Structures are given as C-alpha cells and as structure tokens.
Amino acid sequence: MSVSQTFRVDLRGIVDLLSHHLYTSPQVYARELLQNAVDAITAVRQDAAEAAPHSGRITITSGDATGDGSLTVSDNGIGLSEAQVHELLATIGRSSKRDDLGFARHEFLGQFGIGLLSCFMVSDAIEVTTRRAGEPTVLWRGRSDGGYEVEQAPADRQREEVGTTVTLRPRPGCEHLLTRRAVTGLVTHYGARLPHPVTVDGETVTGGRAPWDRPDGESPAARRARLEAYCEDVFGFTPFDVVDVAAAEAGLRGVAFVLPMPANPAVPAAHRVYLKQMLLSEGAERLLPEWAFFVRCVVDTAELRPTASREALYEDSLLEATRDALGEQLRGWLVRLSVQEPARLRAFLRVHHLGVKALALHDDEMLRLVTEFWPMETNVGPLTLAEFTDRYGLLRFTPLLDEFRQLAPVAAAQGLAVVNAGYVYDAELIDRLATTDRQLEVEQLRAADLATHLERLDAAEEQALAPVLAGADRVLARLGCDLLVRSFEPSGLPALYLLDDDTAFQLDVRGAREHVDETWAAILGSFQSTAEPRPRLVLNHRNPLARQVLTLADPGLQAMCLEGLYVQALLLGHHPLRPADTAALNQSFLGLIGRAVAGGAA
C-alpha cells in the first residue's frame, strides 16, 4: 500500500541554491533591486484607482552615505500590504507580477518572484519596509537561513508615502559591493536607460539618449556619428555600417552594427539586450540567425521573455519569429547595397563572404549576390561565377582544394577553365545555382577525368613504347600506382599524379584494415570496393626528361628515375607521403647520387 508523502525542503539550501548558483555574479543584486523598484512603479501606473499620472522615482543610498555600510533602495511604487508581504516575499517563486493582482504580467521586468534572493549573495539579511495605499507600514526581515519576521513598522520606521525601501547590510567580504563607487557603476550599467529618475547619493545616473532612439531634429549624419561612437565605446570597433532593426511582435527596436573585420562563425555572436530599457544581458546569443555572425546588436524589447536568472532570452516561438524578422531585415540591407552601393557590397563580401554564402544556400536573392559580386578562385584568375559563365559558357569546377592545386596548371595549359570550389560552401553554391538555372551547363572535373582531356600517343608511338611500359608498370605497381603516357602542356612538367576522391577513400579504408582487429576489419570491409583502387602516374611524352627515362636501357637506373618522378609528382600535387613513398624517395635519391659518384670516380 502506497502512502502519499510531501517533499522535505531545506530552506537554507534552497536560498543558497537560488542566490549563489542561479546568478553568474553577485553584482546582479543591483539589477534585481532596480527591477523590483521599476515593477512597483509600473504597478502604480496600472492601478485603476490611480487617476493622475504617476511620476516614479528610485532613490539609492550607498554604504558610504549611510555611515554603517548598509545600502538602501527606495521607490514610490505601489507597496505591499501585510498579507501580500506574507504571500509574496516569504514564498519562493511567488511573484507580485501575477495576473491575480489585476496587473498585465507582460508589463513587468520580473517574471519569477525570486529576484530578491540575489541579495543574499552580498548580505545575510534583507530588510523591507513597505506601505500600500490605505495600509500601515510593514517591516519584513528575511535571513539567508530561510527564516523571516513580519511586523508593523515602529514609529521611527513609518513611511509617509506609499512605496518600498529595501535595506542590505553587507556580509563579510562584500562591503566593497555596496560602496558609492560600486553602486553607481552597477546602477549606471544596468539602469542608465530607465524611464524613471534613479539617484545614487543624490546624483542622477539615468537619462541620456538610447542608441535605438530617433529624436526629432537629429540629422542622419549626426545620428550616424553618435551610433559609431556608441559602438566604439561598447563593442570596441567602428562599424562597417549601421542597420536599424525592429520587430513589432516582440516590441523590439534597436540597431545592428556590422563588423569591419572577419568574425569566427563558430563563436556565437553576443548581443546587448535591454528588457523594457533595463540591461538584460551583454552576451545574449541566438538573437539573430546563425549566418549573421558578422553583426553585433543593441536592442530593447518589451515582449521577449527572459530566463529565470534574467541574464539571457528564453527560447520560444516568439524569439524564433523575431530572429527570422531581424534576419530578413539584414538580408534587405545586403540587397540595397547591391543596388545602391555595389562597391561597398564587394568590400563587405571581402570580409564577410562566409555569412552571405551560408545564407545563399537557401535564399535565391543572396545566391544572386554571390554569383554576381563574389570573385572565386579559378585557374584563369579571380572571376565571379557570372563572369565565368559569360566568358566560358560551361561552368567547370573541382570540389576539392588539393585537386584544384593539382589540376589547375595542367587544365589551363589544355585550355580548360576550372573554378576552385574547394572552399567552404562553394561546391554547394554551384550545385544550387545549377538547380535554380536549368539553362546553365555545369561539369565537375575530377583528377580521374583529367586524363580524358590529355592527348593520347599515336598508334606507332604506343607500339614502340609497349615493351618499355611493361617494365615501368611493374616498378610503379610496387607503389600501388598505374602508369599512363600522354602528351600535354606544360611540356616542362614531366609527370602528373592523378588521385580522385573515391580512390583516396578506398586506399584509406584498405590501409585502416591493416591496423585494426578482425571485427573492425570486417566492418571496414563493407565499405571497400571489389576492384583494387589505383591512382595513376601520367608521364608527359612532350617532356624531354620523361622521354629519356622511358628509353633508358638500364632497368635499375630506369626504376630509380621512375620512383623519383613519382615522388616529385606526389609533392607537386600536395599529397601526403606514405612510408612506402618515403622509402622510394630515399632509394631513388641515394641511388642516383651513388650512380653519379661512381660515374664521376670512373
């Protein structure tokens, strides 16, 4: 028979967990106190009984001014009755911003009713003196061990006006966080853009123009200069451009600063986000699509939800829709650049082509921009894809960087123009371009295909070389390579090593099987082709040295020369050397030196 039980809660442990582990730094206590004060003022403005507009204010007295090291934060907000103090301050997770009190929850900064607990990171006791309209002043004292007391405030602690005062006395080691200098810095950092006046020891720290503001009478040039100065001060760079962004559904407005230098796409972009004009996070991620890693934003939002710690944005459908909307606005900025300032677009692409190419994989307009404005590497010089297709008709490309380096000079000498699509996204972009433009003729050139473009020997030459090639073939067979003889340009190149991607994969599988146990060998065997993969060494019959090697009467000397040409072709093609290749290099090099020394001595 099962018996229903209730959880036993260690209040001291819960307070320690929330106050020390939910937040990343004890400095957030200042933000949470500001948030509570702002929400209390907001509640007054929403109270139906409040006839005249309410002028809210927040007054802070630092430990330097109080004389005993304590900090006080006072507001003229709605205040709490004694019943609400019991219900809201003494219940972890209960918030005064609940719909059952008659207030629209989304109007408030706090959402979780646990912000006050952050104060336990700097103080072992929290004292709240509060008065609601028509109610006596109530004094609440909370301790970090989970205990609290509530009483009507004595005569010397009575509040004349409605509102709340929070008093913190520093715990040992935290006194420096309640000094005038520290408090002024924290309040300015988090609350400088708040719409209510906030003073620290009599000095106002709020006010000033927010980056997202568009005041009447400010010229575009003056606004641009102000935003560039802001970006330099906050983000540490002068922006390449400034883009206004907005998302009505999220109540979001702000500006995006385009980085003037390359950004690492693997590092999430961190943005400065305000929630109802209070700083939420300096490192908010996922505000923009992943491809927009070249932008840093400062925005203010009224509707996006914060996480429990109020240090990041909560991932939900509204944030996803906002991300899409902001991405579309950045996309529109790029399109405008292509029409109005193509030179600036090219300058932008030189720095941030990766982000635009990532977007072009699924966006036709961005694909057009890349095709028309981004010069790609080819074996006939840098050309955009549009220029290449206009000039050569056929869009011939190779998808691997090493293959391009291997094939480029030979292909160019044969009159074959080839695009290097070995960089990030390039091959995928060409595939997508071929899908969107059915009239475009595209051909992929691989190492194995190049041999078909090289000139074969005539029948008489092949017949004359047949006996020699049989012996040479046996030499290269020891290195797992087939031999071809072709005529091609440049004539100064004696040999060309051709290894396509499929053959390289099969060779890797075969090599791996030799160094694993039977189980893994069987698994790798399922990937291995039945035909033995063999790369090809193509000797250039137009090269005098290659012809001389083929006509050598001494089989040993010919073998050393063939091995030397083989290794040189590997190195020219940027191929790694296997142990067998290194042995062939040493053998041919030392053997030829030995022959030369012996001949000289004779």
Side-chain angles (χ1 to χ4, degrees):
M1 177 178 177
S2 62
V3 178
S4 178
Q5 304 284 336
T6 59
F7 286 103
R8 291 189 290 262
V9 178
D10 179 359
L11 289 180
R12 184 191 294 271
I14 292 293
V15 169
D16 178 75
L17 174 67
L18 293 176
S19 63
H20 291 83
H21 302 288
L22 178 66
Y23 301 101
T24 58
S25 166
Q27 296 178 341
V28 300
Y29 85 89
R31 184 193 65 195
E32 297 302 319
L33 290 176
L34 280 175
Q35 169 251 300
N36 286 338
V38 171
D39 285 342
I41 294 170
T42 302
V44 173
R45 293 182 171 183
Q46 291 196 351
D47 194 336
E50 184 71 22
H54 180 66
S55 179
R57 66 179 184 278
I58 302 170
T59 304
I60 301 174
T61 307
S62 72
D64 294 339
T66 57
D68 60 359
S70 63
L71 173 78
T72 65
V73 179
S74 299
D75 65 71
N76 61 342
I78 197 167
L80 298 173
S81 65
E82 183 173 349
Q84 290 171 336
V85 166
H86 281 287
E87 180 184 8
L88 301 171
L89 295 186
T91 305
I92 293 175
R94 183 69 170 175
S95 175
S96 61
K97 300 83 168 173
R98 301 284 183 172
D99 292 335
D100 56 6
L101 292 183
F103 306 127
R105 178 172 173 168
H106 76 278
E107 292 294 330
F108 298 91
L109 291 169
Q111 300 287 320
F112 301 94
I114 55 178
L116 196 62
L117 292 175
S118 66
C119 296
F120 284 123
M121 292 191 289
V122 297
S123 176
D124 286 323
I126 303 172
E127 188 175 276
V128 179
T129 307
T130 183
R131 175 171 171 257
R132 192 177 178 90
E135 302 281 348
T137 301
V138 178
L139 178 62
W140 178 89
R141 296 186 183 91
R143 301 185 302 275
S144 60
D145 62 4
Y148 74 94
E149 298 91 28
V150 179
E151 61 179 335
Q152 289 196 9
D156 61 337
R157 302 295 299 275
Q158 290 289 321
R159 287 183 60 98
E160 294 184 2
E161 67 173 348
V162 171
T164 300
T165 298
V166 178
T167 302
L168 306 179
R169 289 178 175 78
R171 67 192 312 170
C174 293
E175 295 86 356
H176 65 287
L177 293 174
L178 306 187
T179 62
R180 178 183 296 118
R181 179 178 179 181
V183 173
T184 300
L186 291 173
V187 173
T188 303
H189 179 67
Y190 289 114
R193 309 300 178 194
L194 287 173
H196 315 297
V198 180
T199 61
V200 177
D201 295 346
E203 294 187 11
T204 302
V205 297
T206 52
R209 191 165 293 165
W212 50 81
D213 287 344
R214 302 179 69 91
D216 295 335
E218 186 179 36
S219 68
R223 184 171 185 267
R224 175 64 179 254
R226 173 171 62 84
L227 290 175
E228 287 182 349
Y230 174 88
C231 182
E232 181 68 40
D233 180 56
V234 172
F235 294 109
F237 63 86
T238 300
F240 175 86
D241 208 346
V242 179
V243 185
D244 287 295
V245 293
E249 186 178 359
L252 182 144
R253 52 185 178 158
V255 290
F257 300 104
V258 181
L259 288 162
M261 62 285 191
N264 185 350
V267 178
H271 307 286
R272 192 177 183 92
V273 176
Y274 289 78
L275 180 61
K276 301 178 180 70
Q277 302 184 62
M278 177 177 284
L279 181 63
L280 178 74
S281 174
E282 291 182 284
E285 300 176 359
R286 295 185 56 76
L287 178 67
L288 298 178
E290 291 183 0
W291 56 263
F293 55 81
F294 52 83
V295 166
R296 297 294 180 269
C297 289
V298 54
V299 300
D300 179 55
T301 177
E303 301 295 337
L304 292 178
R305 294 171 57 193
T307 58
S309 64
R310 283 187 286 281
E311 295 178 351
L313 293 172
Y314 183 78
E315 187 68 39
D316 57 11
S317 59
L318 180 57
L319 179 57
E320 182 178 359
T322 301
R323 189 159 47 234
D324 292 341
L326 299 185
E328 184 64 21
Q329 291 168 41
L330 291 175
R331 174 187 174 278
W333 167 74
L334 287 169
V335 173
R336 288 194 301 274
L337 273 188
S338 71
V339 175
Q340 300 171 3
E341 301 179 84
R344 275 180 58 77
L345 177 63
R346 291 188 182 93
F348 169 81
L349 288 176
R350 284 195 292 271
V351 180
H352 297 300
H353 55 274
L354 278 181
V356 180
K357 288 198 288 187
L359 177 58
L361 292 178
H362 53 81
D363 185 282
D364 290 345
E365 189 62 33
M366 293 300 102
L367 180 63
R368 181 189 67 81
L369 293 187
V370 171
T371 301
E372 294 183 3
F373 292 97
W374 174 241
M376 297 180 69
E377 182 181 1
T378 80
N379 65 342
V380 291
L383 294 173
T384 67
L385 291 178
E387 291 170 337
F388 189 93
T389 53
D390 287 344
R391 184 179 300 180
Y392 298 103
L394 174 65
L395 179 51
R396 183 182 289 111
F397 73 99
T398 182
L400 299 176
L401 180 58
D402 285 340
E403 273 196 348
F404 177 80
R405 289 171 176 169
Q406 176 186 0
L407 304 181
V410 178
Q414 315 316 308
L416 302 177
V418 183
V419 174
N420 177 15
Y423 295 109
V424 179
Y425 302 129
D426 285 353
E428 294 93 327
L429 287 172
I430 291 176
D431 287 342
R432 190 168 187 279
L433 186 60
T435 302
T436 56
D437 185 357
R438 296 294 185 180
Q439 296 181 342
L440 179 64
E441 190 176 354
V442 176
E443 177 186 285
Q444 184 176 137
L445 179 68
R446 305 302 298 271
D449 302 326
L450 184 60
T452 63
H453 295 276
L454 303 181
E455 182 183 341
R456 296 179 63 96
L457 305 184
D458 60 38
E461 289 174 324
E462 287 189 349
Q463 186 175 2
L465 287 175
V468 178
L469 293 180
D473 224 354
R474 287 192 294 271
V475 174
L476 292 177
R478 297 197 296 266
L479 297 170
C481 185
D482 289 334
L483 177 66
L484 290 177
V485 180
R486 296 286 187 270
S487 294
F488 58 87
E489 297 293 338
S491 60
L493 182 67
L496 177 65
Y497 182 82
L498 298 180
L499 174 66
D500 61 40
D501 198 38
D502 294 335
T503 301
F505 173 75
Q506 292 296 325
L507 290 174
D508 288 342
V509 170
R510 186 173 64 180
R513 291 190 67 189
E514 298 174 356
H515 298 90
V516 296
D517 58 29
E518 293 182 0
T519 302
W520 278 108
I523 294 173
L524 291 173
S526 64
F527 296 100
Q528 193 165 350
S529 171
T530 54
E532 183 179 1
R534 296 174 74 90
R536 287 178 286 182
L537 181 70
V538 184
L539 293 183
N540 187 359
H541 198 255
R542 291 182 185 170
N543 181 266
L545 178 62
R547 289 198 305 271
Q548 287 178 331
V549 169
L550 289 175
T551 58
L552 286 172
D554 185 339
L557 180 59
Q558 186 183 64
M560 284 186 285
C561 291
L562 285 172
E563 288 173 346
L565 292 175
Y566 164 80
V567 176
Q568 187 218 25
L570 283 178
L571 296 174
L572 288 176
H574 303 278
H575 298 285
L577 297 184
R578 303 167 300 161
D581 302 330
T582 304
L585 172 63
N586 293 332
Q587 181 176 319
S588 62
F589 181 70
L590 295 177
L592 289 172
I593 290 179
R595 290 282 189 124
V597 170

